[in-house]
Amino acid sequence: MGDVVGNADAGEAAAAGWRAGRKGAAAMGGYELVRSDYAAGHVMVDLEAGHGCVFPKGAAAGGLAPSAPPSPATPRQRLVSLDVFRGITVLLMILVDDAGAFLPAINHSPWDGVTIADFVMPFFLFIVGVALALAYKRVPDRLEATRKAILRALKLFCVGLVLQGGFFHGVHSLTFGIDIQKIRLMGILQRIAIAYLVTALCEIWLKGDDDVDSGIDLLKRNRYQLFIGLIVAITYMAFLYGTYVPDWEYQISVPGSMEKSFFVKCGVRGDTGPGCNAVAMIDRKILGIQHLYGRPVYARSKQCSINSPQNGPLRPDAPSWCQAPFDPEGLLSSVMAIVTCLIGLQYGHVIVHFQKHKERIMKWLIPSFSMLILAFSMDFFGMHMNKPLYTVSYTLATAGAAGLLFAGIYTLVDMYGHRRPTVAMEWIGTHALMIYVLIACNILPIFIHGFYWGQPKNNLLKFIGVGA
């Protein structure tokens, strides 16, 4: 996991980041297993307070203020499966973060291909989308909802700069602070903030008011959101395959000398390799190479590492790009992350507009399998699944897998009520932000290492037998 955020790809757990800022709003823990009962009124999630409100029959989306909250006798069932899904993803994040270095099969793929670790980020983005569909089921004041969505995204982005920009140096250095000229500008939380904001705005402003009686009706109601997703994907592919990448060079500090320069020969268009792709070029041009992630995932590739797929000494004939900074959460790749969030949003719409369990599950399974088939077809014909670039085939494959897993968890937990086997995952899911910050961002290990006697290696971990 360290390939993505130093210590967490999950950040993927970042989904949890904005939830905390919501202070109990639907995206974190106030969402409900919403039912579309148009005959008796709508049970909804208050966008800001996280409690259910009743809308009378015929109330237009965003056009009528909610009435008084329902009486205590009105049952409001929480969508437990979403918490469980988030908890499983957080646990997976921790697993690949701590064990990925020893088990390459679960660590991030050095470039093309997908491993277990590569599902964490899109799973969290998918969860964000589902939660947004429930949180914004009714929006009485679109301008106010927009203002708060922007504010939350900004808060999350700033938290990401602190946690992932390099302010905390690590568990062994016991130092902090960051040179603004070298701060990492993008990261897990920053990517989540971008995807959250765009998806929230789509849900606030681009949601139709058509009646929904079938899957076709649901597509018509949300056709503008789907159109935005399509435009985003087409724009991404146009940049990835149509942008000319010229030759470039970079400098890095190496032991025994001040700086060493490397020249990378490109002069190509549409290349998707590590050294000459448009995704990295755009980040270098806009963000600056000094603001990118300094430990690129492709350093573990066969071209670069003797111990591939693990980190190791460079091969004698390693390409010049092997040590070049590369941000796996860069600008163009984060554009495709928006699509994953929008897909999750559509799965959340199914919960809002359909009441029967089997009906919901079928409307999840069909698009999930369809996306997987399309993703593997694209990969077969050369448009490979690639997490660092966040390719279209990768987007479809991981979103399809997320849909299948969510449908399975929903069937087990919310349909059949088997909550006891998943109670631990549910707890982790409802405390995702805390776990992400304390463990995945190394705040807890840094804190523990900070208490020592004589010298830093004599710390509390050594005292309890864990070691320093």
Side-chain angles (χ1 to χ4, degrees):
M1 253 306 146
D3 300 325
V4 178
V5 192
N7 293 308
D9 180 88
E12 297 166 17
W18 57 268
R19 289 182 209 106
R22 298 179 67 94
K23 297 181 180 178
M28 177 61 181
Y31 47 76
E32 308 286 339
L33 186 58
V34 183
R35 300 184 180 279
S36 281
D37 188 350
Y38 284 90
H42 302 290
V43 178
M44 73 156 289
V45 180
D46 187 308
L47 179 59
E48 310 306 335
H51 62 277
C53 296
V54 175
F55 277 81
K57 180 179 178 181
L64 186 63
S67 61
S71 65
T74 303
R76 291 185 291 116
Q77 183 182 359
R78 181 182 175 84
L79 186 61
V80 180
S81 53
L82 198 59
D83 285 328
V84 174
F85 189 10
R86 188 185 301 112
I88 291 174
T89 308
V90 171
L91 192 63
L92 180 61
M93 168 195 72
I94 297 172
L95 173 65
V96 298
D97 187 28
D98 295 335
F102 308 102
L103 298 172
I106 68 172
N107 201 359
H108 293 290
S109 174
W111 197 245
D112 288 337
V114 178
T115 65
I116 294 177
D118 296 324
F119 286 92
V120 179
M121 164 65 84
F123 278 8
F124 269 103
L125 290 166
F126 180 91
I127 291 169
V128 171
V130 175
L132 279 173
L134 307 183
Y136 290 91
K137 182 174 182 285
R138 290 292 184 271
V139 185
D141 188 337
R142 291 184 176 181
L143 289 177
E144 179 66 10
T146 300
R147 185 187 69 83
K148 293 189 175 182
I150 294 173
L151 183 60
R152 287 165 186 152
L154 288 174
K155 287 179 179 178
L156 179 58
F157 197 95
C158 291
V159 171
L161 284 177
V162 174
L163 293 178
Q164 300 168 290
F167 186 85
F168 296 100
H169 292 182
V171 295
H172 296 290
S173 60
L174 297 182
T175 58
F176 63 92
I178 184 66
D179 184 352
I180 297 299
Q181 293 182 327
K182 299 179 180 179
I183 187 172
R184 182 188 177 194
L185 297 177
M186 295 296 291
I188 298 296
L189 296 174
Q190 296 93 312
R191 167 173 285 180
I192 295 292
I194 294 171
Y196 159 73
L197 178 59
V198 175
T199 305
L201 293 179
C202 286
E203 182 67 357
I204 293 170
W205 293 98
L206 299 179
K207 180 169 58 178
D209 54 4
D210 311 64
D211 292 334
V212 176
D213 296 315
S214 66
I216 298 298
D217 292 337
L218 188 60
L219 293 177
K220 291 180 179 179
R221 179 184 174 93
N222 300 298
R223 58 189 179 276
Y224 298 116
Q225 296 177 359
L226 298 174
F227 179 73
I228 291 295
L230 180 61
I231 291 299
V232 168
I234 293 175
T235 302
Y236 167 85
M237 288 192 291
F239 276 105
L240 179 64
Y241 297 110
T243 303
Y244 177 80
V245 180
D247 300 340
W248 58 285
E249 60 181 338
Y250 67 98
Q251 297 81 35
I252 62 170
S253 299
V254 296
S257 64
M258 294 297 293
E259 282 190 341
K260 185 175 181 179
S261 296
F262 295 88
F263 178 81
V264 182
K265 183 173 179 56
C266 291
V268 296
R269 190 186 307 274
D271 187 271
T272 57
C276 299
N277 62 82
V279 171
M281 187 203 71
I282 290 173
D283 287 339
R284 292 193 298 268
K285 294 290 186 182
I286 297 178
L287 301 178
I289 195 169
Q290 72 276 15
H291 295 297
L292 305 183
Y293 188 56
R295 296 191 293 276
V297 66
Y298 49 65
R300 295 190 288 106
S301 65
K302 292 181 180 180
Q303 300 101 307
C304 299
S305 174
I306 291 178
N307 300 329
S308 180
Q310 296 177 318
N311 286 306
L314 286 175
R315 297 175 60 90
D317 58 345
S320 57
W321 44 259
C322 283
Q323 300 178 77
F326 174 86
D327 206 314
E329 281 79 46
L331 295 174
L332 188 57
S333 56
S334 292
V335 166
M336 277 306 296
I338 296 171
V339 177
T340 300
C341 204
L342 285 170
I343 292 173
L345 183 69
Q346 308 313 312
Y347 279 66
H349 288 155
V350 172
I351 300 174
V352 173
H353 293 286
F354 298 95
Q355 298 183 37
K356 296 180 180 179
H357 292 307
K358 292 184 179 180
E359 195 173 19
R360 290 172 172 173
I361 292 171
M362 286 303 299
K363 285 178 172 54
W364 289 333
L365 292 181
I366 293 174
S368 296
F369 281 116
S370 300
M371 285 188 289
L372 285 171
I373 293 172
L374 181 57
F376 280 101
S377 299
M378 295 175 70
D379 186 78
F380 178 80
F381 286 105
M383 301 178 68
H384 298 299
M385 301 179 196
N386 184 296
K387 180 193 178 298
L389 299 180
Y390 217 110
T391 57
V392 175
S393 57
Y394 169 79
T395 303
L396 294 173
T398 53
L404 291 179
L405 181 56
F406 180 51
I409 297 171
Y410 176 87
T411 302
L412 177 67
V413 177
D414 286 313
M415 183 173 175
Y416 290 108
H418 298 305
R419 294 182 59 177
R420 183 172 296 180
T422 60
V423 64
M425 296 299 100
E426 182 182 346
W427 183 88
I428 293 174
T430 56
H431 298 83
L433 174 63
M434 177 185 69
I435 295 172
Y436 173 69
V437 171
L438 292 181
I439 299 179
C441 293
N442 265 341
I443 302 303
L444 181 59
I446 290 173
F447 177 80
I448 294 176
H449 275 271
F451 289 88
Y452 61 90
W453 53 97
Q455 48 187 332
K457 68 178 182 179
N458 295 326
N459 54 54
L460 292 178
L461 290 182
K462 181 178 180 180
F463 177 76
I464 64 177
V466 176

